[in-house]
Every structure is written in structure tokens, then in C-alpha cells.
Amino acid sequence: MLKQPVDIELLAPARDADIAIAAIDHGADAVYMGASHHGARAEATNSLDDVRRACNHAHRYGAKIYATVNTLVYDNELAEVEHLIHDLYSIGVDALIVQDLGLLRLDLPPIVLHASTQCDLRTPEKARFLEALGFSQLVMARELTLEEIKDIRQATTVPLEAFVHGALCVSYSGRCAVSQVLKGRSANRGECAQLCRLPYDLVDGKGRILVEGKHLLSLRDLAQHDRLEQMMAAGVSSFKIEGRLKDIGYVKNVVAYYRRAIDKVIGRYPDRYRRASQGTVELTFQPAIERSFNRGFTHYFLDERRPADGTLMASIDTPKSQGEYLGKAVRCNGNTLKIDTHITLSNGDGLSFTDRDGQFSGARVNRVMGDGTLLLREPANITRGTRIYRTADKAFNDLLAKPSATRTIAVDAELRHTGGMLALTLNDERGNRVTHSIECDMQTAAKPQTDRQIAELGKLGGTIYRLRNAQVAGDTFIPASQLAQLRRDTIEMLDRAQAITQRVDSRRAEDKSVPYPTTTLVPADNVANHLSREVYLEHGVKEITPALETGMPANTSTPLMHTRYCIRRQLGACLKGKNGNALPRDLYLRTGNTLLRVNCDCNRCEMKITKP
């Protein structure tokens, strides 16, 4: 028996229904978006009507909508969340992305469940446990190497999802408590204060400044566009773009870029992989990820578990967008700047650079003079040779603000007549087949009718369809009005056939015999309600300390951040490298009146941030 190709899914973020629809139109196979509450992004909520609108649009292309219900849930909220999930199931949501295992003990409809990256999936043992709980798709930690992904693939059978592009949390997702402890705003409740993006002084045990005012915890953005083939080979089948707070232009551009990149890999291996949805996308622009918001790009840990000194994963000069590299400054005189660049700029573009004082700064282009010379709205303090970036691309953003993609379903038509009836059969690439017949005043044509009939059947503007092939009754004259009505009625039947045959998957059964990998849970394991506690106890856990969000106090041993990223390595002073003595062993981060201790676990090649 031949092995079926693996469905490869491009999963896009959406802040609202309009962005969800745009993501589908630009090539997404699935979209994840928040509902009215408990969606891990407090600023990206949507009404049921808006989620339904996104579902209806996605399902026309065989694409899916995943609702995020991926926060911790308190006991007094369980009934409210249960009601929400029933509502989401009733409007056609294809799956829920969840963090809190207590939801598994609610009275839920048979909706598919995906394990959120907040579940901290880093090991084959954890992956095997989550699959046993009944999760149908597992979102792996961003920090994994290709080898670690392969190990998880060998331990599981359900689809594996991995982040492929966008902002990186410095901490293991689900295990960052710094916002909760210092600001009373839980990242596990969608209220992260993003303290990792602040500037910090790096100081020693005596308070002496070693590095001043740098964004030492602010990571670059993930970009795995050139690692897609290796990730597929390792076992990834769902490629997730981060960005539920990003604007519509960002989503359009990044989704279109990855659609093309994924399709190239699928095209090379059609016997191994296939697209997870249908439809052909045509764009009005050339996608380019560097032209959208980015802090510079990194592969993070995909290629190696212990990167060498000097491997730049952070953007320590600024947490803001770096943008697209233009070239180096040739000269700067007040408001006049000349850049050695081949890239076309526009009036209104925004530039970024490091000024003479070593500060990350910016300027707006007032007028493009030609030959790389720009008149700026404000004077710039730049030395010759300074690298110049474009952070706001006026022409590109204006293009993305307009309708910029169409996605069509290919359809084949067969027109035939018999016994005074005219029948039209439509077959589409989704696998639907419908036939509709009408009485028709037909007569033998005086001249060939083939081209006219094909042209009439191809008038599919205002629909999602595109005529691919047509067999027509070219020797018969058919009034244009009757042929047009037949086409419209049959297209409506095709729409109904897709809606009726839309596949609805069900939640997998739970295997209660599979134990949790450990018997002890700490606050970072995020048990916040009695149902979550029950799940772990039923799977062999003996000792459970509740989540910090329940009121548990943090002490000096409580990790506020737990990460594979290491400040010492970023600064070229890894204790296992030749320059380990470039920094003292005792290190602290200071911002305002807040002091945090840096703890390097060199055996595991990890870093923990705690109270001093």
C-alpha cells in the first residue's frame, strides 16, 4: 500500500476576522485567532460572529480556523470557558489551542484539541504524554534543534507544529514568571508586560556597570524560511507564523512569502508532501520578509544545541524594528544624507541607524533627491560608513493596504444537452462534483459556438472559482441568458456541496494509562485549578505546587525566566569558551530599582533569571 503524502500546513496569526480572511487569501492553510476571552493575547479578542465569518471564508478553501483558549483558567472561570468552547464548536471552529489541562475534564463537545506551546513541549516524554491526553496536534517549543524534533517525531504519531517566523520569547513559553512577579501581569493569562524588551545594565556583584543600557533579553525575530525542507524531513508538518498583534500588511506579506517557500519544497517532493488546503493564490506584490517589521533574524537553536560564542540571537541595541538593510552612509550633512544603495526609496520612508553617540536612532525621508541622496525631515548625526536600514516602506505599505491577492478554486466544466435538457457538470479541485439541468430552447448553430460557450462559462468574477477546463456543446446554439443562469445556479450548488462535505474531525480519546514524565510539579508547571490538578494526579503525579498566579509567593530560587538563550554567550563570554573570564561569574541585570540575578547552568547550557 502506497504511503499518502503528508499534509503540510501554513498556519497564520490573525488579530481579527479581516486579517484572518486576508491570511487565507494570501495562502494560509489555517489561521489561529482569539475568541472573546482566555486567548493569551488580551488585545486580540473577537466576537463569535467574527470568528464565524473567518470560519466560513476559510472552509471554502478547505482551510481551518483554530481558536486560542490557551491561558490558565481559575476555578471560578471554568464554567464560563466551558460555555465558550461549546459556542466555538457550534460556529464551526476546527480546533482549540489550549494550555490548561483542566479543560480536558470539562463537559466539552467533541472538538479537536491542540497542545499550545505554553504546554512547554521540549522532550519526547512530554510529547508522548500530551498525545496520550488526546491532543491531535502538538506545538513544540521554539528552542528545539532539528535532532530534538526528530526524537519527538519518533515518539509520537500526531502532527507536529513548529514556529517558523516572528517574535521570540526569551523564556521557554509557559515558564516565564517575571511579568507576574514584578508587575502582577501574568504571561500565562495573556497580560505579559514584555519586560524582556526593556534596557538593562549588566552589573557585577559590587554593582559596577559592565554593559550599560542594552536590551540584553530582547531576542531577534525567528526566520526559518531557508530551513523548511530540513524541518519537514525532521517531522514538522505545521509551520506557524507568530504575530496575533501584527497588522494586516505584516500578515499578508509574511504569509505570502512562506506560501511560496513551502510550495517550492512540496513541488520538489510531491510524493512526500502536499498542501493542506486548496486554491491558487495570485499576488499584486513581491513578498519580502525584510520589508515588514523585524528585529533582525535568527535561526535560534534549530541547527545546534550549544551555539558558539558570538552567535547573535539578541538585538541588544533596540527592541524596535530593524527593517530592511539599504546600504552604508556615504555622507551626512544636517538634513541631507547620501546612501550607497541600489534600493529605490520613497518620500515618507522611515530610516534607522546607530548615531555618532552609539544610540539607535531614526529619521523620516522628506524627499528623494536621486543618486541615493535624501532630504530628511530632521537632521541626522551619522558618520560615514554607518549601516542604514529602512523601517517604514511607504510604497510597499501602500500596496499592502489595498486588495493584494486573489485565491481561486480550479473548476472543470462539462456542458451537454439531451432530450431538450441542458446539463452542466462542475468538478472542482476540492473533490466536489455537482450537476444541474434546465429546459432550454436549443437549435443547431449556424456557426461554431465553442469559444462563445467557454467564455460564458468562464465568467466567474465575483466567485472564488476559476475555469480550468471545459467541454461544451459547440454545435448547438444556446441563448446566452439561459447559459448564464445555468452557470450561476450550478456554482451555487458547488458552494453548498463544499459546505455540506466540510470535514469535521473529532477529539482523540485519552489514554489514562500513560504517566506524566515526573511525579512532582513546581509552580512553573502552571496548575491553576482543581481540574488540572485531577488530570495530573490521574496520570501518576504525587506532589503538586500550584502556579504563582494562584497566590504562591516567589522566592530567590524561583525562576522568573528560564531560557536556552544566554547573556554570557551573546556577549562572547561563555564559561565553556576561551573568553569566559571576559565577564565575572556573578552577574546581575538592573533596570530602574529592579535588580535580577543571572544564573548560568552550564551543564544544561541554560540560563535562569531569579530574584537576587
Side-chain angles (χ1 to χ4, degrees), residues 255-423:
V255 168
Y257 186 91
Y258 276 88
R259 175 75 277 152
R260 288 186 174 181
I262 289 173
D263 285 348
K264 285 181 180 179
V265 180
I266 293 175
R268 287 197 293 269
Y269 306 100
D271 57 329
R272 299 183 196 174
Y273 311 117
R274 65 186 178 190
R275 282 188 55 186
S277 64
Q278 298 83 45
T280 298
V281 175
E282 294 185 4
L283 303 173
T284 66
F285 67 100
Q286 184 68 27
I289 51 175
E290 68 275 7
R291 298 181 76 174
S292 287
F293 183 104
N294 72 83
R295 300 177 177 91
F297 295 123
T298 176
H299 291 301
Y300 210 28
F301 291 96
L302 189 69
D303 297 316
E304 51 188 336
R305 176 67 176 80
R306 290 180 171 83
D309 276 14
T311 300
L312 298 181
M313 294 181 175
S315 176
I316 67 173
D317 291 325
T318 177
K320 299 178 182 179
S321 178
Q322 173 180 289
E324 176 186 17
Y325 176 64
L326 299 176
K328 295 181 179 180
V330 175
R331 66 174 181 271
C332 180
N333 183 16
N335 291 62
T336 304
L337 169 66
K338 183 173 182 179
I339 308 172
D340 181 11
T341 183
H342 66 280
I343 296 173
T344 301
L345 284 92
S346 302
N347 299 344
D349 281 353
L351 307 179
S352 66
F353 44 81
T354 301
D355 63 22
R356 291 175 186 268
D357 298 323
Q359 298 299 311
F360 186 81
S361 188
R364 184 72 63 174
V365 177
N366 193 48
R367 188 164 74 250
V368 178
M369 309 290 286
D371 191 32
T373 301
L374 310 171
L375 181 63
L376 307 179
R377 293 183 185 176
E378 52 276 311
N381 184 19
I382 306 172
T383 60
R384 179 183 175 88
T386 297
R387 294 173 66 86
I388 309 296
Y389 296 83
R390 177 165 57 185
T391 52
D393 190 329
K394 180 68 165 55
F396 193 60
N397 292 340
D398 286 348
L399 188 60
L400 291 175
K402 303 173 183 177
S404 51
T406 56
R407 182 169 179 172
T408 54
I409 297 294
V411 61
D412 299 326
E414 181 185 357
L415 186 67
R416 61 188 184 278
H417 60 88
T418 178
M421 300 294 292
L422 182 66

Side-chain angles (χ1 to χ4, degrees), residues 69-124:
V69 189
N70 56 338
T71 67
L72 297 186
V73 181
Y74 297 146
D75 276 312
N76 63 354
E77 299 170 333
L78 289 170
E80 179 185 24
V81 171
E82 181 179 278
H83 182 74
L84 172 66
I85 292 172
H86 278 273
D87 286 341
L88 292 171
Y89 181 71
S90 71
I91 63 173
V93 165
D94 297 280
L96 302 179
I97 303 174
V98 304
Q99 172 187 13
D100 196 314
L101 300 189
L103 273 60
L104 277 67
R105 294 295 179 265
L106 296 176
D107 180 17
L108 298 183
I111 192 168
V112 172
L113 299 181
H114 293 182
S116 169
T117 189
Q118 298 294 112
C119 291
D120 186 34
L121 197 172
R122 288 181 275 146
T123 66

